[in-house]
Amino acid sequence: MAASARGGAAKAKGATPALRPVTLADVAAPAVDRLRTGITELDRVLGGGLVPGSLVLLGGAPGIGKSTITASALGNLAAAGRRTLYVTAEESAAQVKLRAQRLGDAALKVPIVAATDLDAVAATIEAERPEVCVVDSVQALHAEGLTGSPGTVGQVREAAGRIARVAKDRDVATVLVGHVTKEGSLAGPRVLEHLVDCVLHFEGERERAYRTLRAVKNRFGSTNEVGVFEMREAGLVEVLDASARFVSEATRAPGSVVLCAMEGSRPLLVEVQALVARSELVPPRRVASGIDRNRLALVLAVLARHGGIGLGSSDVFVSAAGGVRVDEPGADLAVALALASAARGVPLRSPGARRPQTLAPAVFGEGDDDFDAAVDRAPLGAFGEIGLTGELRYVAHPERRIAEAAKFGLEPVISPEGPVRTLRQALTAALGTGPRAKERAAA
Ligand code: TYD
Ligand code: MG
């Protein structure tokens, strides 16, 4: 088809009438009603719900909860009177039923077919014409005419392309589930990203309760939004008060800082933890979990050069607690303070310890009614990018980050918004009397 279109362009000049451009202002753009999945966090990440006829790729490691979230979403849509279809290519219908039983009655209302043959799947979607369809997973489909086993690039590309055509023709909003390999790429399906309207990544560690869902591509919304979930006995539960959770779980031990992060348009408080230990290895270990490795390397270099804290002969571990990923330069300062605190063995506290505006019980734990003690124990909050010369740099939405921190009694936070201008000053403010104070005291 593409070849014939190109052939057309080669025809004699003037054979094809020219098109008439219109100004963007005059382009008709009818507002579409989104198909709400009833999972608030998922809808937000999608930009308000599924767009009819759109194609979504949901990637994530095995066991992260892809089948669970799609089954819940379809269940909610079915309960809301939408026509749905679940195509299971990986598990038997009985296995999917077992899962759905844990998720509740709505999930059991979803029509299901178990099939791996691409022709059969495409024909079924065409015949059923659901409003929303889930194909779990695209890697398990097999295209008859192609060589190669399911999951190979050729097969996956063919499967996705074929389903995309049916979905567009029939106006079926389709979610393709895809596995992500250990290396973090959708196995093969990286090649699918251009084909779909929206790419969602479901992340987190299987052993940990928290999972985050984020859009890495979205033709119908922002790619900044993130949803936080927790895997429970009865399926995935949205964590709407993620900040309260993470702050209450912050250890307040040396090496712990609360990062005032932005996840899209939403502020989120996340504990950043660091461990520094004498290394037996050359080069020493640098392990980052949930934090960008390159930013960690930069922070370590600036800490050594401008903060007087050289960790060149130490193993360094940094992680965002709860399996959350914070991928923004605004995390630099929190990482630096966590490292400094860990290296010095000094716990960091919120300097002001003023009475918080709202003291959510969750923040300080049940049965802890000694208010002053609780405020004393408020962890330190921080955010800001660190420049190569050791200066603190502005990051987006400072007022929202500060407001979120204040809500949980973390005041004042150390940030480029305050009087602190450099990393060195931040270390002084956070560690009390300067980074070298302890050594000087010991000398
Ligand atoms: P699953 O959705 O099958 O993951 P994926 O499709 O991404 O491979 O489920 C992931 C894990 O979640 C699985 O090990 C079992 C667990 N789980 C719960 O803890 N509670 C539940 O209600 C469900 C359905 C699953
Ligand atoms: Mg699955």
Side-chain angles (χ1 to χ4, degrees), residues 61-68 70 86 88 90-91 99 136-137 177 179:
I64 200 74
K66 301 180 296 297
S67 302
T68 306
T70 48
Y86 197 104
T88 175
E90 220 158 74
E91 297 170 308
R99 177 185 295 106
D136 186 3
S137 69
V177 173
H179 292 300

